[in-house]
Amino acid sequence: MEQTKNPLGYEKLGVLLRKFAVPSIIAMLVSSLYNIVDQIFIGQGVGYLGNAATNVSYPLVTICLAIALLIGIGTSSRFSLYLGAGRPDKAAKVAGNSICLMVLCGVIYMALILIFLRPLLRAFGATDDVMPYAESYTAITAIGIPFLIMTNVMSNMIRADGSPNYSMICMLIGAVINTILDPIFIFCFGMGVAGAAWATIIGQFVSCIIAVRYAFHFKHIKLQRGDIKLSLHESARTATLGMSSSLNQVAITLVQIVLNNSLTYYGALSSYGTDIPLAACGIVMKTNAILLAIVIGISQGTQPIVGFNYGAKQYDRVRKIYRLAIICNLAISFVGWCMFQFCPRQILSIFGTGDAQYFEFSIRFMRIFLFMALLNGVQLISSNFFSAIGKPLKGLLLSMTRQVFFLIPLILLLPLVMGGIDGVLYSGPTADFIAFVVTAIFIIHEMRIMKRLEAQQTLSK
C-alpha cells in the first residue's frame, strides 16, 4: 500500500513538520523578499515616492499569488489525498492538468495587466506624483507574471511529491539573483524603479526554469504525455480545493485597494497629506508580509502531511500535526509582535529616510494596525487545514472572515466613528480579534468530528 511506503504516514510528526515546513518557510520568505528588497533599494535610491509606487502596484502581485494558490494549493491537496488513498495514477492526471492551467492563466493575466495598466494603478490609489514611478515599475514586472505563477504552482506540487528542499531552492535562487541585481541596476546604472523591476523578473525567470524542470523527475508519480492536457472538470475540482487560499489573497488585494484609497482620502484631511500614509502603508504591510510568509510556510509544510493522513484515515495524526503547527505559529508570531511594538522605528529606517511627520505616522500605523498580529496565523493555518482535508467551503469561509467580512467594513466605518484616519488604523486589530474567535469555533467543531470518526473506526475493527 502507498501509505506504508510514504513516510508521511508513519514518520514522527515533529520530524515531518521540520522537513516540510522549514524549506516551505524559506521559500515563502524568499518570495516576500522580492518585494521587500525592491522596497529597500528603491527607498534608498529613489525615495518614499518610489516606495509608494511599489505599494500601489502590490495588489497586482497579490492577485498573481491568488491565481498561483488557486492552482497550486488545489493541486497539492488533491495530489496528497490521492497518494494517501494509493492512487498515483489520479495524482499524475491532476499534476498534468495543472501544468497546462498555470501556463494559460499566467499569459492571460499578464496581457490584462499590460492592456489596463493605468486604470488599474489609478484604482489602486496612485496619486499624480506617484503614477510615473508606478507605471514604470509595473509595466516591466508584468512580464514576469507567468514565471511567478508557474514557479509557485510547481513549488506546491514539488512539496506534495516529497521534495521540499528542491522547492526551496527554486525560490531561493531567484531571490539571490534579484538581490544582487537590484543595487547594480538602481545605483550603478541609474535605472531607478525600472532597474528594480528588471532585477525582479530576471530572478523570476531563472526560478521558473528550475521549477519546471522537476516536472520530468517526480518521485511518487510517473507523468505521461497523455496526462499533460487541460480538462475543465479537473480544473474545476482543483480550483475548489484551492479556493480558500486563493480568495484569501484576493481579499488581501481588496483590503489593499480600500486601505490605499481610505488613507489617501483621510490623509488629505489630516496634517500628513496623501503620500505619507500611502508610503507608510506599503512598508508596514510588506513588513508584516514577512511574518505572514513564515506562517504560510508552516501551513504549506503541514498541508501534504495533513492531506495524506486524512486520506489514509489516520485522524489522530491529523489532529496532532495541526496542534503542532499552531504552537509553532504562536511562538514565531510572538517574536514578530514584539518587534512591531518595540522596534518600529528601527524597522522603518531600513526602508529609507523621511521627515519627522513620515516617521511619526509610520510608527503609529505599525503599532496600532499590527497590534493583534499574534493571532493572525491561527486563521491562515486553519483555512488551509480545511482545504487539505477536502473541505474547501469551510476553508473558503474562514479565509473570508478577516479580510472581507470584518476588515473592509471596519476600514469604511471606523473613520466615520473615530473622526478620521485613526479609524483606519484601529480597523486592523479589531478585525483580527473577531476573525480569531470565529476560527476557534470552526476548529473546535471539526476536531470533535474527527474524534467521532476515529471512535467509529475503533468500533468497526
Side-chain angles (χ1 to χ4, degrees):
M1 292 289 289
E2 179 71 19
Q3 48 259 53
T4 63
K5 298 178 182 178
N6 197 316
L8 292 174
Y10 62 82
E11 183 66 83
K12 289 183 179 179
L13 294 174
V15 174
L16 284 174
L17 183 59
R18 184 166 60 250
K19 178 183 176 183
F20 281 83
V22 171
S24 183
I25 288 169
I26 294 172
M28 288 304 303
L29 283 172
V30 165
S31 182
S32 296
L33 283 175
Y34 273 111
N35 293 290
I36 296 293
V37 168
D38 283 356
Q39 194 98 46
I40 291 171
F41 285 117
I42 288 172
Q44 299 290 344
V46 180
Y48 73 84
L49 286 178
N51 275 334
T54 62
N55 179 35
V56 165
S57 69
Y58 194 59
L60 294 172
V61 177
T62 57
I63 294 172
C64 174
L65 293 176
I67 296 169
L69 288 172
L70 180 72
I71 305 169
I73 294 295
T75 300
S76 60
S77 295
R78 295 184 67 203
F79 192 99
S80 298
L81 287 167
Y82 280 131
L83 286 184
R87 296 293 307 277
D89 56 323
K90 293 291 292 182
K93 291 187 182 300
V94 169
N97 175 76
S98 294
I99 288 172
C100 298
L101 192 60
M102 69 184 186
V103 175
L104 179 64
C105 290
V107 173
I108 291 174
Y109 184 48
M110 176 189 69
L112 290 174
I113 293 174
L114 293 174
I115 293 170
F116 300 105
L117 179 61
R118 192 174 180 87
L120 285 170
L121 294 175
R122 187 65 74 185
F124 296 159
T127 63
D128 291 337
D129 291 335
V130 171
M131 181 61 81
Y133 298 99
E135 276 190 296
S136 176
Y137 182 79
T138 311
I140 298 169
T141 54
I143 301 170
I145 288 294
F147 307 136
L148 185 57
I149 290 176
M150 291 164 67
T151 302
N152 277 276
V153 172
M154 285 302 305
S155 291
N156 278 284
M157 281 195 271
I158 292 166
R159 276 192 299 272
D161 191 51
S163 300
N165 289 329
Y166 192 99
S167 174
M168 173 188 69
I169 290 169
C170 294
M171 303 298 295
L172 189 59
I173 289 177
V176 169
I177 292 172
N178 180 46
T179 304
I180 293 171
L181 293 181
D182 255 337
I184 295 174
F185 288 171
I186 294 174
F187 299 113
C188 298
F189 296 164
M191 295 171 67
V193 293
W198 280 114
T200 296
I201 66 170
I202 291 171
Q204 289 169 345
F205 175 74
V206 175
S207 288
C208 179
I209 294 298
I210 296 170
V212 170
R213 177 182 173 274
Y214 190 90
F216 304 97
H217 301 89
F218 279 106
K219 289 161 57 176
H220 295 289
I221 64 170
K222 188 175 181 180
L223 200 61
Q224 306 287 346
R225 184 185 298 271
D227 295 324
I228 305 176
K229 61 182 179 181
L230 189 64
S231 163
L232 290 178
H233 176 69
E234 290 289 341
S235 298
R237 294 187 66 188
T238 295
T240 300
L241 289 185
M243 190 69 72
S244 64
S245 297
S246 176
L247 287 182
N248 192 51
Q249 287 293 320
V250 173
I252 290 173
T253 305
L254 293 175
V255 167
Q256 191 75 53
I257 296 168
V258 174
L259 195 56
N260 285 350
N261 284 282
S262 295
L263 288 170
T264 302
Y265 177 78
Y266 290 107
L269 301 177
S270 71
S271 60
Y272 300 114
T274 58
D275 293 328
I276 285 177
L278 198 61
C281 176
I283 293 173
V284 170
M285 297 299 280
K286 288 180 183 178
T287 302
N288 186 43
I290 297 176
L291 176 60
L292 293 179
I294 299 174
V295 176
I296 293 171
I298 294 172
S299 179
Q300 289 184 347
T302 61
Q303 183 273 324
I305 309 170
V306 169
F308 184 92
N309 284 283
Y310 195 86
K313 299 182 179 181
Q314 300 188 109
Y315 302 117
D316 184 55
R317 286 175 65 82
V318 175
R319 293 199 310 274
K320 286 179 179 177
I321 193 62
Y322 173 80
R323 286 198 297 266
L324 187 57
I326 291 295
I327 291 169
C328 293
N329 153 68
L330 291 174
I332 292 167
S333 294
F334 178 73
V335 175
W337 180 86
C338 289
M339 294 183 68
F340 297 151
Q341 297 304 311
F342 302 120
C343 309
R345 189 180 184 94
Q346 290 85 339
I347 295 172
L348 292 163
S349 297
I350 297 172
F351 296 90
T353 59
D355 57 24
Q357 272 197 318
Y358 166 75
F359 277 107
E360 176 191 339
F361 180 81
S362 299
I363 289 170
R364 288 190 69 241
F365 192 109
M366 181 170 285
R367 282 179 170 159
I368 296 172
F369 198 82
L370 302 182
F371 186 73
M372 287 290 175
L374 177 64
L375 304 178
N376 280 348
V378 176
Q379 185 230 12
L380 277 171
I381 290 175
S382 300
S383 63
N384 286 341
F385 169 81
F386 281 111
S387 294
I389 64 174
K391 297 186 177 182
L393 289 179
K394 289 185 177 181
L396 172 60
L397 188 59
L398 274 190
S399 68
M400 293 292 98
T401 52
R402 178 186 182 267
Q403 313 286 359
V404 175
F405 299 155
F406 304 136
L407 184 53
I408 290 177
L410 286 168
I411 290 173
L412 298 174
L413 294 175
L414 281 186
L416 302 177
V417 176
M418 301 184 71
I421 202 165
D422 277 359
V424 180
L425 273 58
Y426 281 99
S427 63
T430 307
D432 291 339
F433 180 75
I434 300 171
F436 170 76
V437 173
V438 173
T439 300
I441 294 170
F442 270 65
I443 285 296
I444 290 170
H445 177 69
E446 190 62 36
M447 292 301 168
R448 287 174 178 169
I449 292 174
M450 273 194 280
K451 284 183 179 180
R452 286 199 297 268
L453 291 172
E454 192 175 18
Q456 289 171 8
Q457 266 188 320
T458 304
L459 289 174
S460 64
K461 288 181 179 178

